[in-house]
Short mmCIF file of all heavy atoms in Angstrom, two decimals:
data_model
loop_
_atom_site.label_atom_id
_atom_site.label_comp_id
_atom_site.label_asym_id
_atom_site.label_seq_id
_atom_site.Cartn_x
_atom_site.Cartn_y
_atom_site.Cartn_z
N ILE A 1 15.10 -11.58 -35.89
CA ILE A 1 15.36 -10.21 -35.46
C ILE A 1 15.71 -10.24 -33.97
O ILE A 1 14.95 -10.76 -33.16
CB ILE A 1 14.16 -9.29 -35.72
CG1 ILE A 1 13.89 -9.21 -37.22
CG2 ILE A 1 14.42 -7.89 -35.14
CD1 ILE A 1 12.71 -8.37 -37.60
N ARG A 2 16.88 -9.69 -33.66
CA ARG A 2 17.36 -9.67 -32.27
C ARG A 2 17.64 -8.25 -31.83
O ARG A 2 18.10 -7.42 -32.61
CB ARG A 2 18.66 -10.45 -32.14
CG ARG A 2 18.54 -11.90 -32.41
CD ARG A 2 19.88 -12.57 -32.15
NE ARG A 2 19.84 -13.97 -32.56
CZ ARG A 2 20.89 -14.73 -32.67
NH1 ARG A 2 22.09 -14.24 -32.42
NH2 ARG A 2 20.78 -15.99 -33.03
N ASP A 3 17.37 -8.00 -30.56
CA ASP A 3 17.79 -6.75 -29.93
C ASP A 3 19.15 -7.04 -29.32
O ASP A 3 19.25 -7.77 -28.34
CB ASP A 3 16.78 -6.31 -28.87
CG ASP A 3 17.12 -4.98 -28.24
OD1 ASP A 3 18.22 -4.44 -28.52
OD2 ASP A 3 16.30 -4.47 -27.47
N ILE A 4 20.20 -6.49 -29.92
CA ILE A 4 21.55 -6.82 -29.46
C ILE A 4 21.97 -6.01 -28.24
O ILE A 4 23.05 -6.25 -27.69
CB ILE A 4 22.59 -6.69 -30.59
CG1 ILE A 4 22.70 -5.26 -31.09
CG2 ILE A 4 22.26 -7.65 -31.73
CD1 ILE A 4 23.89 -5.03 -32.00
N GLN A 5 21.13 -5.07 -27.81
CA GLN A 5 21.39 -4.31 -26.58
C GLN A 5 20.10 -4.26 -25.77
O GLN A 5 19.50 -3.20 -25.59
CB GLN A 5 21.89 -2.91 -26.91
CG GLN A 5 23.22 -2.90 -27.60
CD GLN A 5 23.71 -1.49 -27.93
OE1 GLN A 5 22.97 -0.52 -27.90
NE2 GLN A 5 24.98 -1.40 -28.23
N PRO A 6 19.65 -5.41 -25.25
CA PRO A 6 18.33 -5.49 -24.61
C PRO A 6 18.18 -4.66 -23.34
O PRO A 6 17.06 -4.39 -22.92
CB PRO A 6 18.17 -6.98 -24.32
CG PRO A 6 19.55 -7.52 -24.28
CD PRO A 6 20.35 -6.68 -25.24
N ASN A 7 19.28 -4.24 -22.74
CA ASN A 7 19.19 -3.46 -21.50
C ASN A 7 19.10 -1.96 -21.76
O ASN A 7 18.99 -1.17 -20.82
CB ASN A 7 20.36 -3.76 -20.58
CG ASN A 7 20.34 -5.21 -20.12
OD1 ASN A 7 19.28 -5.78 -19.90
ND2 ASN A 7 21.50 -5.81 -19.98
N LYS A 8 19.16 -1.55 -23.01
CA LYS A 8 19.06 -0.13 -23.36
C LYS A 8 17.58 0.26 -23.47
O LYS A 8 16.70 -0.57 -23.67
CB LYS A 8 19.75 0.15 -24.70
CG LYS A 8 21.22 -0.17 -24.71
CD LYS A 8 22.00 0.92 -24.04
CE LYS A 8 23.49 0.60 -24.15
NZ LYS A 8 24.32 1.61 -23.60
N LYS A 9 17.34 1.57 -23.37
CA LYS A 9 15.97 2.09 -23.42
C LYS A 9 15.31 1.85 -24.78
O LYS A 9 14.15 1.49 -24.86
CB LYS A 9 15.98 3.58 -23.09
CG LYS A 9 14.62 4.19 -22.96
CD LYS A 9 14.71 5.63 -22.52
CE LYS A 9 13.32 6.21 -22.37
NZ LYS A 9 13.37 7.59 -21.87
N THR A 10 16.06 2.07 -25.86
CA THR A 10 15.53 1.84 -27.19
C THR A 10 16.18 0.59 -27.80
O THR A 10 17.36 0.34 -27.56
CB THR A 10 15.78 3.05 -28.12
OG1 THR A 10 17.18 3.30 -28.16
CG2 THR A 10 15.05 4.29 -27.62
N PRO A 11 15.42 -0.18 -28.56
CA PRO A 11 15.99 -1.41 -29.13
C PRO A 11 17.05 -1.12 -30.19
O PRO A 11 17.00 -0.10 -30.87
CB PRO A 11 14.78 -2.11 -29.74
CG PRO A 11 13.76 -1.05 -29.95
CD PRO A 11 14.03 0.01 -28.92
N HIS A 12 17.98 -2.03 -30.31
CA HIS A 12 19.01 -1.99 -31.34
C HIS A 12 18.85 -3.30 -32.12
O HIS A 12 19.42 -4.33 -31.75
CB HIS A 12 20.40 -1.88 -30.70
CG HIS A 12 21.48 -1.62 -31.68
ND1 HIS A 12 21.94 -0.37 -31.96
CD2 HIS A 12 22.17 -2.47 -32.48
CE1 HIS A 12 22.89 -0.44 -32.87
NE2 HIS A 12 23.05 -1.71 -33.21
N LEU A 13 18.03 -3.26 -33.18
CA LEU A 13 17.64 -4.48 -33.88
C LEU A 13 18.60 -4.85 -35.00
O LEU A 13 19.00 -3.99 -35.78
CB LEU A 13 16.23 -4.31 -34.45
CG LEU A 13 15.13 -3.95 -33.45
CD1 LEU A 13 13.80 -3.78 -34.17
CD2 LEU A 13 15.03 -4.97 -32.34
N GLU A 14 18.92 -6.13 -35.06
CA GLU A 14 19.73 -6.67 -36.15
C GLU A 14 19.11 -7.97 -36.63
O GLU A 14 18.37 -8.62 -35.89
CB GLU A 14 21.18 -6.88 -35.72
CG GLU A 14 21.92 -5.58 -35.55
CD GLU A 14 23.42 -5.72 -35.48
OE1 GLU A 14 23.93 -6.85 -35.42
OE2 GLU A 14 24.09 -4.68 -35.48
N LEU A 15 19.41 -8.34 -37.86
CA LEU A 15 18.86 -9.54 -38.49
C LEU A 15 19.96 -10.59 -38.57
O LEU A 15 21.01 -10.36 -39.14
CB LEU A 15 18.34 -9.19 -39.89
CG LEU A 15 17.73 -10.31 -40.71
CD1 LEU A 15 16.51 -10.91 -40.02
CD2 LEU A 15 17.36 -9.79 -42.10
N TYR A 16 19.69 -11.75 -37.97
CA TYR A 16 20.62 -12.88 -37.94
C TYR A 16 20.02 -14.07 -38.68
O TYR A 16 18.80 -14.18 -38.81
CB TYR A 16 20.88 -13.33 -36.50
CG TYR A 16 21.82 -12.44 -35.74
CD1 TYR A 16 21.40 -11.21 -35.25
CD2 TYR A 16 23.13 -12.83 -35.50
CE1 TYR A 16 22.26 -10.39 -34.55
CE2 TYR A 16 23.99 -12.01 -34.79
CZ TYR A 16 23.56 -10.80 -34.33
OH TYR A 16 24.40 -9.98 -33.63
N PHE A 17 20.89 -14.96 -39.14
CA PHE A 17 20.47 -16.20 -39.77
C PHE A 17 21.19 -17.36 -39.11
O PHE A 17 22.24 -17.19 -38.49
CB PHE A 17 20.79 -16.19 -41.27
CG PHE A 17 19.96 -15.22 -42.05
CD1 PHE A 17 20.37 -13.91 -42.22
CD2 PHE A 17 18.75 -15.61 -42.57
CE1 PHE A 17 19.60 -13.00 -42.91
CE2 PHE A 17 17.96 -14.71 -43.27
CZ PHE A 17 18.38 -13.40 -43.44
N ASP A 18 20.65 -18.56 -39.24
CA ASP A 18 21.30 -19.75 -38.70
C ASP A 18 22.55 -20.08 -39.52
O ASP A 18 22.57 -19.85 -40.73
CB ASP A 18 20.35 -20.95 -38.74
CG ASP A 18 19.18 -20.79 -37.78
OD1 ASP A 18 19.34 -20.11 -36.74
OD2 ASP A 18 18.10 -21.34 -38.09
N ARG A 19 23.55 -20.63 -38.86
CA ARG A 19 24.79 -21.00 -39.56
C ARG A 19 24.52 -21.98 -40.70
O ARG A 19 25.18 -21.95 -41.73
CB ARG A 19 25.79 -21.61 -38.58
CG ARG A 19 26.55 -20.59 -37.81
CD ARG A 19 27.71 -21.24 -37.03
NE ARG A 19 28.14 -20.30 -36.02
CZ ARG A 19 27.77 -20.33 -34.75
NH1 ARG A 19 26.98 -21.29 -34.33
NH2 ARG A 19 28.19 -19.43 -33.90
N ARG A 20 23.54 -22.83 -40.52
CA ARG A 20 23.25 -23.84 -41.54
C ARG A 20 22.80 -23.20 -42.86
O ARG A 20 22.82 -23.84 -43.90
CB ARG A 20 22.22 -24.85 -41.05
CG ARG A 20 20.83 -24.28 -40.90
CD ARG A 20 19.82 -25.35 -40.52
NE ARG A 20 18.53 -24.76 -40.31
CZ ARG A 20 18.01 -24.49 -39.12
NH1 ARG A 20 18.67 -24.79 -38.02
NH2 ARG A 20 16.82 -23.94 -39.01
N ASP A 21 22.38 -21.93 -42.81
CA ASP A 21 21.95 -21.22 -44.02
C ASP A 21 23.08 -20.42 -44.67
O ASP A 21 22.85 -19.74 -45.68
CB ASP A 21 20.78 -20.29 -43.71
CG ASP A 21 19.53 -21.06 -43.36
OD1 ASP A 21 19.30 -22.13 -43.97
OD2 ASP A 21 18.77 -20.62 -42.48
N SER A 22 24.28 -20.52 -44.14
CA SER A 22 25.43 -19.76 -44.68
C SER A 22 25.67 -20.00 -46.15
O SER A 22 26.06 -19.10 -46.89
CB SER A 22 26.70 -20.08 -43.90
OG SER A 22 26.62 -19.59 -42.60
N SER A 23 25.41 -21.22 -46.62
CA SER A 23 25.67 -21.53 -48.03
C SER A 23 24.72 -20.78 -48.97
O SER A 23 25.01 -20.65 -50.16
CB SER A 23 25.58 -23.03 -48.28
OG SER A 23 24.25 -23.48 -48.02
N SER A 24 23.62 -20.26 -48.44
CA SER A 24 22.67 -19.49 -49.26
C SER A 24 22.96 -18.00 -49.23
O SER A 24 22.24 -17.22 -49.87
CB SER A 24 21.25 -19.73 -48.74
OG SER A 24 20.90 -21.07 -48.84
N LEU A 25 24.00 -17.61 -48.50
CA LEU A 25 24.34 -16.20 -48.32
C LEU A 25 25.73 -15.92 -48.88
O LEU A 25 26.58 -16.82 -48.91
CB LEU A 25 24.29 -15.84 -46.83
CG LEU A 25 22.94 -16.06 -46.14
CD1 LEU A 25 23.11 -16.01 -44.63
CD2 LEU A 25 21.94 -15.04 -46.62
N PRO A 26 25.99 -14.68 -49.30
CA PRO A 26 27.35 -14.35 -49.75
C PRO A 26 28.35 -14.56 -48.61
O PRO A 26 28.02 -14.35 -47.44
CB PRO A 26 27.26 -12.87 -50.11
CG PRO A 26 25.83 -12.55 -50.21
CD PRO A 26 25.10 -13.54 -49.36
N HIS A 27 29.55 -14.97 -48.95
CA HIS A 27 30.56 -15.25 -47.94
C HIS A 27 31.56 -14.09 -47.87
O HIS A 27 32.16 -13.72 -48.87
CB HIS A 27 31.30 -16.55 -48.26
CG HIS A 27 32.24 -16.98 -47.19
ND1 HIS A 27 31.81 -17.48 -45.99
CD2 HIS A 27 33.58 -16.95 -47.14
CE1 HIS A 27 32.86 -17.75 -45.24
NE2 HIS A 27 33.95 -17.43 -45.92
N GLY A 28 31.71 -13.51 -46.68
CA GLY A 28 32.67 -12.43 -46.50
C GLY A 28 32.36 -11.62 -45.26
O GLY A 28 31.46 -11.94 -44.48
N ASP A 29 33.16 -10.56 -45.06
CA ASP A 29 33.00 -9.71 -43.88
C ASP A 29 31.96 -8.63 -44.05
O ASP A 29 31.33 -8.20 -43.09
CB ASP A 29 34.34 -9.04 -43.53
CG ASP A 29 35.32 -10.02 -42.92
OD1 ASP A 29 34.87 -10.97 -42.26
OD2 ASP A 29 36.53 -9.83 -43.11
N LYS A 30 31.78 -8.14 -45.28
CA LYS A 30 30.84 -7.04 -45.52
C LYS A 30 30.31 -7.16 -46.95
O LYS A 30 30.60 -6.34 -47.80
CB LYS A 30 31.53 -5.70 -45.27
CG LYS A 30 30.60 -4.58 -45.02
CD LYS A 30 31.35 -3.35 -44.52
CE LYS A 30 30.34 -2.30 -44.11
NZ LYS A 30 30.97 -1.11 -43.61
N GLU A 31 29.53 -8.20 -47.17
CA GLU A 31 29.04 -8.51 -48.52
C GLU A 31 27.66 -7.90 -48.74
O GLU A 31 26.78 -8.00 -47.87
CB GLU A 31 28.97 -10.02 -48.72
CG GLU A 31 30.31 -10.69 -48.65
CD GLU A 31 31.27 -10.19 -49.71
OE1 GLU A 31 30.88 -10.08 -50.88
OE2 GLU A 31 32.43 -9.88 -49.36
N PRO A 32 27.42 -7.26 -49.88
CA PRO A 32 26.12 -6.65 -50.15
C PRO A 32 25.02 -7.69 -50.36
O PRO A 32 25.25 -8.71 -51.00
CB PRO A 32 26.34 -5.83 -51.41
CG PRO A 32 27.52 -6.44 -52.06
CD PRO A 32 28.36 -7.05 -50.98
N VAL A 33 23.86 -7.40 -49.80
CA VAL A 33 22.67 -8.25 -49.97
C VAL A 33 21.46 -7.33 -50.12
O VAL A 33 21.32 -6.36 -49.37
CB VAL A 33 22.46 -9.19 -48.76
CG1 VAL A 33 21.17 -9.98 -48.91
CG2 VAL A 33 23.64 -10.13 -48.59
N ASP A 34 20.62 -7.64 -51.08
CA ASP A 34 19.37 -6.90 -51.26
C ASP A 34 18.25 -7.67 -50.58
O ASP A 34 18.06 -8.87 -50.82
CB ASP A 34 19.03 -6.74 -52.74
CG ASP A 34 20.00 -5.81 -53.46
OD1 ASP A 34 20.55 -4.90 -52.80
OD2 ASP A 34 20.20 -5.99 -54.67
N LEU A 35 17.51 -6.96 -49.73
CA LEU A 35 16.32 -7.51 -49.07
C LEU A 35 15.10 -6.88 -49.74
O LEU A 35 15.04 -5.65 -49.87
CB LEU A 35 16.30 -7.16 -47.58
CG LEU A 35 17.37 -7.76 -46.70
CD1 LEU A 35 17.20 -7.25 -45.27
CD2 LEU A 35 17.29 -9.27 -46.72
N PHE A 36 14.16 -7.70 -50.13
CA PHE A 36 12.93 -7.21 -50.73
C PHE A 36 11.79 -7.43 -49.75
O PHE A 36 11.49 -8.56 -49.37
CB PHE A 36 12.64 -7.94 -52.04
CG PHE A 36 13.65 -7.67 -53.12
CD1 PHE A 36 14.78 -8.47 -53.25
CD2 PHE A 36 13.49 -6.61 -53.98
CE1 PHE A 36 15.72 -8.22 -54.23
CE2 PHE A 36 14.42 -6.34 -54.98
CZ PHE A 36 15.54 -7.15 -55.09
N PHE A 37 11.19 -6.32 -49.31
CA PHE A 37 10.00 -6.35 -48.46
C PHE A 37 8.86 -5.87 -49.35
O PHE A 37 8.71 -4.67 -49.57
CB PHE A 37 10.15 -5.42 -47.26
CG PHE A 37 11.20 -5.87 -46.28
CD1 PHE A 37 12.45 -5.29 -46.27
CD2 PHE A 37 10.93 -6.86 -45.36
CE1 PHE A 37 13.42 -5.69 -45.37
CE2 PHE A 37 11.89 -7.27 -44.44
CZ PHE A 37 13.14 -6.69 -44.46
N GLY A 38 8.08 -6.80 -49.91
CA GLY A 38 7.08 -6.41 -50.89
C GLY A 38 7.79 -5.82 -52.09
O GLY A 38 8.71 -6.40 -52.64
N GLN A 39 7.40 -4.61 -52.47
CA GLN A 39 8.01 -3.94 -53.62
C GLN A 39 9.23 -3.09 -53.24
O GLN A 39 9.89 -2.53 -54.11
CB GLN A 39 6.98 -3.05 -54.32
CG GLN A 39 5.81 -3.83 -54.90
CD GLN A 39 6.26 -4.86 -55.92
OE1 GLN A 39 7.04 -4.56 -56.82
NE2 GLN A 39 5.77 -6.09 -55.79
N GLU A 40 9.50 -2.97 -51.95
CA GLU A 40 10.63 -2.14 -51.51
C GLU A 40 11.91 -2.96 -51.43
O GLU A 40 11.92 -4.05 -50.87
CB GLU A 40 10.34 -1.52 -50.14
CG GLU A 40 9.31 -0.43 -50.19
CD GLU A 40 9.27 0.36 -48.89
OE1 GLU A 40 10.34 0.72 -48.35
OE2 GLU A 40 8.15 0.61 -48.41
N LYS A 41 12.99 -2.39 -51.98
CA LYS A 41 14.30 -3.03 -51.92
C LYS A 41 15.18 -2.25 -50.96
O LYS A 41 15.29 -1.03 -51.04
CB LYS A 41 14.95 -3.07 -53.30
CG LYS A 41 16.35 -3.68 -53.29
CD LYS A 41 16.89 -3.88 -54.68
CE LYS A 41 17.73 -2.69 -55.08
NZ LYS A 41 18.48 -2.93 -56.34
N TRP A 42 15.82 -2.98 -50.05
CA TRP A 42 16.75 -2.40 -49.09
C TRP A 42 18.07 -3.15 -49.19
O TRP A 42 18.10 -4.38 -49.11
CB TRP A 42 16.19 -2.48 -47.67
CG TRP A 42 15.04 -1.55 -47.51
CD1 TRP A 42 13.73 -1.82 -47.79
CD2 TRP A 42 15.10 -0.20 -47.09
NE1 TRP A 42 12.97 -0.70 -47.56
CE2 TRP A 42 13.78 0.31 -47.13
CE3 TRP A 42 16.14 0.64 -46.69
CZ2 TRP A 42 13.48 1.61 -46.78
CZ3 TRP A 42 15.84 1.93 -46.33
CH2 TRP A 42 14.52 2.41 -46.38
N ARG A 43 19.16 -2.43 -49.37
CA ARG A 43 20.48 -3.03 -49.46
C ARG A 43 21.19 -2.91 -48.12
O ARG A 43 21.27 -1.84 -47.52
CB ARG A 43 21.32 -2.37 -50.54
CG ARG A 43 22.77 -2.92 -50.52
CD ARG A 43 23.49 -2.67 -51.76
NE ARG A 43 23.03 -3.68 -52.71
CZ ARG A 43 23.59 -3.89 -53.88
NH1 ARG A 43 24.62 -3.18 -54.27
NH2 ARG A 43 23.16 -4.83 -54.69
N GLY A 44 21.69 -4.04 -47.67
CA GLY A 44 22.49 -4.08 -46.46
C GLY A 44 23.75 -4.88 -46.73
O GLY A 44 23.97 -5.37 -47.83
N THR A 45 24.58 -5.00 -45.71
CA THR A 45 25.76 -5.85 -45.83
C THR A 45 25.71 -6.91 -44.75
O THR A 45 25.22 -6.67 -43.64
CB THR A 45 27.07 -5.03 -45.73
OG1 THR A 45 27.09 -4.32 -44.50
CG2 THR A 45 27.21 -4.08 -46.91
N ILE A 46 26.21 -8.08 -45.08
CA ILE A 46 26.15 -9.22 -44.18
C ILE A 46 27.56 -9.73 -43.90
O ILE A 46 28.46 -9.61 -44.73
CB ILE A 46 25.26 -10.33 -44.78
CG1 ILE A 46 24.85 -11.34 -43.72
CG2 ILE A 46 25.91 -10.99 -45.98
CD1 ILE A 46 23.69 -12.22 -44.12
N ARG A 47 27.72 -10.27 -42.71
CA ARG A 47 29.00 -10.87 -42.32
C ARG A 47 28.77 -12.35 -42.06
O ARG A 47 27.89 -12.72 -41.29
CB ARG A 47 29.54 -10.19 -41.08
CG ARG A 47 30.91 -10.73 -40.71
CD ARG A 47 31.53 -9.94 -39.59
NE ARG A 47 32.93 -10.31 -39.53
CZ ARG A 47 33.81 -9.67 -38.81
NH1 ARG A 47 33.46 -8.62 -38.11
NH2 ARG A 47 35.06 -10.06 -38.80
N THR A 48 29.57 -13.17 -42.71
CA THR A 48 29.41 -14.62 -42.57
C THR A 48 30.73 -15.33 -42.23
O THR A 48 30.79 -16.54 -42.31
CB THR A 48 28.86 -15.22 -43.88
OG1 THR A 48 29.74 -14.89 -44.95
CG2 THR A 48 27.46 -14.73 -44.19
#
């Protein structure tokens, strides 16, 4: 989890992964991915 605008008053958090893990992720500019936090499912899009 990174704050991509660290000089702003409120954080702007985004989730990044290492390039070496790209093969475990969908490949594209805006690919859907479901994240499961416990029983909650959240859908986001990833760019690889």
Side-chain angles (χ1 to χ4, degrees):
I1 297 178
R2 295 184 187 168
D3 183 352
I4 63 168
Q5 295 180 345
N7 296 325
K8 299 281 184 177
K9 186 175 181 177
T10 57
H12 189 95
L13 303 179
E14 288 195 352
L15 180 61
Y16 283 76
F17 291 90
D18 293 331
R19 278 190 197 98
R20 70 175 177 259
D21 292 323
S22 292
S23 63
S24 298
L25 301 166
H27 187 72
D29 286 330
K30 200 169 187 179
E31 297 299 314
V33 176
D34 291 331
L35 294 178
F36 295 90
F37 293 100
Q39 297 301 312
E40 288 192 45
K41 178 172 94 170
W42 290 87
R43 174 161 281 190
T45 57
I46 196 164
R47 184 172 193 169
T48 57

